[in-house]
DNA sequence: GGCGGCTTTTACGCGTTCTTGAGGCCGGGG
DNA sequence: CCCCGGCCTCAAGAACGCGTAAAAGCCGCC
């Protein structure tokens, strides 16, 4: 499970983030000032920090420095200041990203996913394919959804792997059957229906309305990011 | 010297970036469309890519996908589109950052420094691999548990070594058999069951519920830290 | 030769995964 | 309107792969 530390002195922002992040399966910690933020970060070892710069006690840049002293946790800065000098300062202090308030929740979540993915890739050194619902690590052969690992059987993985290596492209039924089941089974299109149903149950937010594992009737399947 | 690939179809933007980046000691490569960008990236192996999304030939998201297919180079997206759906799309496709035009050169440079710093933090492999239960010293070829040395037979060590060199990664049965027993025995998967049982008895706290030497049925084994 | 450590082989119970068939739904064409 | 092809869902038996244990084979060494 991926954990996020949210630091902001405005309770409504913390609340909004907590709700949105929890709903997506993240483990959320919070802090309302710089001092407690550093304490919580040491205690809880979050996977990523969302940090407001305008804190009551410590200057935001010093909070970044305080974190960077001992850790490389990704830091996403939130701030009302739009001038480039503020951005430059924060980024050079060690922040990974800078988002100006007011911000779109979608965008923040996407930047958060990017930060976590990058961090994961740093450990493994491997390319990772990300959608809004789940993450496929091709080299490690793991799929995570909202920070939780999803177990795939060999056949399921075979399908996901082919699709993830061809993001956005249509892959024919024949190609999938050939590569996963072998040349003897290129007409068993029923296999595909059964397995795509399983995969959607495991990976899609709403299995009945798939957003990523798309059927192209009569043609094949497509992996939408 | 850090090298940057700048991809944009507007010559004045490319020129401005080239001047600013060169002045700061970066090695600059350029491309004016998606196709040549992918070519230059393969050839030149840049340390970071600055990518305009509005290219004449290929959709920007597909360029990102094309790069992510084989590499984890940091990608900073430049775009005139400010709507959050565009940002979400690009970031989920694998971009590391998203900057809207018109942009401040200071800010872009700061984001670029942040991206490179992050990427550099990826360090080379440690000769010692540590788990919560035991320690594998690859240089000395020894395994210790609770300070006490655990004796491994040559075959056992062969397996542990391969797994410890690929922490977290799934290693196929075939690869293990091939590297330890040779190409003639790639189908003797029973060997693996016997030896993993032995290793778990020696290394795991609860051999019946392994936490580090994990079986992925039908695929292979995984060394979890 | 006998011994000890290591590897290979055999056998069995068990849980998971794969395959297969049946039924229902939907949209296009006759 | 009905039929039909293609798709989705569900369930159940078959097949497979895993863990475990124990015996048998193979060294090198005293």
């Amino acid at each position: 499970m991926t954990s996020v530390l949210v630091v902001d002195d405005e309770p409504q922002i913390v609340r909004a983030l907590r709700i949105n992040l929890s709903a997506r399966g993240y483990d959320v910690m919070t802090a309302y000032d710089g001092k407690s933020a550093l304490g919580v970060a040491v205690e809880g070892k979050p996977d990523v920090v969302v940090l407001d710069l305008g804190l009551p006690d410590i200057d935001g840049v010093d909070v970044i420095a305080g974190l960077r002293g001992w850790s490389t946790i990704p830091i996403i800065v939130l701030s009302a200041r739009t001038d480039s000098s503020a951005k430059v300062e924060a980024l050079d202090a060690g922040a990974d990203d800078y988002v100006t308030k007011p911000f779109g929740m979608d965008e923040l979540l996407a930047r958060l996913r990017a930060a976590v993915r990058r961090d994961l890739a740093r450990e493994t050194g491997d390319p990772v394919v990300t959608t809004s619902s789940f993450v496929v690590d091709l080299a490690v052969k793991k799929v995570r959804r909202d920070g939780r690992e999803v177990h795939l059987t060999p056949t399921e993985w075979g399908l996901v792997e082919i699709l993830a290596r061809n993001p956005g492209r249509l892959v024919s039924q024949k190609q999938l059957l050939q590569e996963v089941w072998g040349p003897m089974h290129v007409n068993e299109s029923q296999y595909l229906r059964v397995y795509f149903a399983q995969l959607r149950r495991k990976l899609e937010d709403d299995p009945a309305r798939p957003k990523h594992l798309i059927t192209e009737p009569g043609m094949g399947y497509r992996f939408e990011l």
Side-chain angles (χ1 to χ4, degrees), chain A residues 186-220:
Chain A
V186 289
N187 293 314
E188 307 275 5
S189 54
Q190 171 66 3
Y191 289 3
L192 294 176
R193 293 183 201 110
V194 173
Y195 275 92
F196 270 88
Q198 265 165 230
L199 283 171
R200 285 173 184 143
R201 269 200 299 279
K202 290 186 177 182
L203 300 178
E204 293 277 3
D205 291 330
D206 181 356
R209 295 169 214 284
K211 290 195 342 221
H212 307 104
L213 301 169
I214 310 298
T215 303
E216 298 286 0
M219 318 239 26

Side-chain angles (χ1 to χ4, degrees), chain A residues 127-131 134-145 150-169 171 175-177 179-181 191-192 195-204 212-214 221-225:
Chain A
V128 171
V129 181
T130 311
T131 74
F134 56 91
V135 182
V136 182
D137 187 325
L138 290 169
V140 172
K141 288 197 160 66
K142 265 189 185 172
V143 179
R144 309 176 109 231
R145 184 176 175 204
V150 179
H151 181 79
L152 297 188
T153 70
T155 310
E156 287 165 358
W157 174 259
L159 291 171
V160 168
E161 184 166 21
I162 296 172
L163 291 171
R165 288 197 195 281
N166 297 286
R169 274 202 282 276
V171 183
Q175 187 185 340
L176 289 168
L177 288 163
E179 296 202 27
V180 176
W181 280 273
Y191 289 3
L192 294 176
Y195 275 92
F196 270 88
Q198 265 165 230
L199 283 171
R200 285 173 184 143
R201 269 200 299 279
K202 290 186 177 182
L203 300 178
E204 293 277 3
H212 307 104
L213 301 169
I214 310 298
Y221 294 82
R222 180 195 306 282
F223 182 75
E224 285 287 3
L225 294 177

Side-chain angles (χ1 to χ4, degrees), chain A residues 24-179:
Chain A
R24 281 166 183 76
Y26 292 95
D27 192 10
V28 182
M29 310 175 230
T30 56
Y32 294 91
D33 57 63
K35 222 170 133 207
S36 60
L38 291 172
V40 174
V42 172
E43 290 300 313
K45 294 266 173 71
D47 296 309
V48 52
V49 177
V50 177
L51 174 67
D52 177 57
L53 276 196
L55 296 177
D57 56 342
I58 314 180
D59 181 52
V61 172
D62 294 332
V63 178
I64 297 174
L67 286 168
R68 278 288 169 269
W70 57 274
S71 137
T72 60
I73 305 176
I75 302 175
I76 299 177
V77 164
L78 285 182
S79 168
R81 292 183 57 189
T82 59
D83 57 302
S84 75
S85 69
K87 298 184 187 175
V88 172
E89 238 181 279
L91 291 167
D92 279 340
D96 290 82
D97 205 341
Y98 190 105
V99 180
T100 54
K101 296 184 187 177
F103 58 89
M105 187 56 70
D106 291 352
E107 177 183 345
L108 181 66
L109 290 170
R111 287 187 183 270
L112 197 118
R113 284 194 296 274
V116 172
R117 155 163 47 78
R118 213 162 34 216
D119 203 46
L120 190 70
R122 188 178 59 72
E123 289 169 24
T124 63
D126 297 321
V128 171
V129 181
T130 311
T131 74
S132 52
S133 315
F134 56 91
V135 182
V136 182
D137 187 325
L138 290 169
V140 172
K141 288 197 160 66
K142 265 189 185 172
V143 179
R144 309 176 109 231
R145 184 176 175 204
D146 298 332
R148 276 190 205 79
E149 190 177 325
V150 179
H151 181 79
L152 297 188
T153 70
T155 310
E156 287 165 358
W157 174 259
L159 291 171
V160 168
E161 184 166 21
I162 296 172
L163 291 171
R165 288 197 195 281
N166 297 286
R169 274 202 282 276
L170 173 66
V171 183
S172 71
Q173 301 197 0
K174 202 146 99 179
Q175 187 185 340
L176 289 168
L177 288 163
Q178 166 126 347
E179 296 202 27

Side-chain angles (χ1 to χ4, degrees), chain A residues 8-18 32:
Chain A
D8 202 314
D9 60 331
E10 298 172 64
Q12 69 270 29
I13 291 203
V14 174
R15 213 184 62 241
L17 283 171
R18 176 186 279 292
Y32 294 91

